[in-house]
Amino acid sequence: MGENIDGQLGIPNVSSTEYPLKVQLPTTVNQITCGRNHVYAFNTELKQVYGWGSNMFGQLSLKNKGQDVFSPRQITSLCEMDVFRVFIDF
C-alpha cells in the first residue's frame, strides 16, 4: 500500500492504494528488502533476485538505468554471483 510513483509497489497501472496488494512473482521468495523507492525480493534456494521501483541511478542493477520498473524483473547480474543476502540503503 502507498504511492506507486516509481513503481515501488510492483504493480503496473496503479498510482496508489490504501490497501495491501499482492505482487506477482515468478517464484516464491523468502526475503524482501525495501528502499525508499525500490524493492528487492530474493529466493535464497534458487539464488534468484527480483527488483522493481526506481532505477534512476541504476540501483536495481538493470540495464535500463534511468527508467522506473513497475513489475518485478529478475536481476540476472546478481544471479551469477554467490548471493545469500540482499540489503538496500536509501
Side-chain angles (χ1 to χ4, degrees), residues 14-89:
V14 172
S15 60
S16 67
T17 180
E18 296 177 14
Y19 307 100
L21 299 173
K22 185 176 182 177
V23 175
Q24 298 298 317
L25 291 161
T27 188
T28 58
V29 296
N30 54 1
Q31 185 183 113
I32 295 178
T33 185
C34 304
R36 182 175 182 180
N37 295 358
H38 59 292
V39 178
Y40 282 119
F42 187 44
N43 179 311
T44 55
E45 291 179 22
L46 299 175
K47 299 196 178 192
Q48 294 177 341
V49 180
Y50 297 88
W52 61 92
S54 175
N55 196 37
M56 180 61 65
F57 304 104
Q59 59 266 51
L60 293 178
S61 300
L62 296 169
K63 293 181 181 180
N64 62 338
K65 180 179 174 180
Q67 296 178 355
D68 295 334
V69 177
F70 285 84
S71 58
R73 292 212 190 133
Q74 188 172 12
I75 302 172
T76 55
S77 61
L78 293 178
C79 294
E80 297 168 0
M81 301 177 185
D82 193 17
V83 176
F84 62 94
R85 186 170 291 157
V86 177
F87 292 96
I88 292 179
D89 192 6

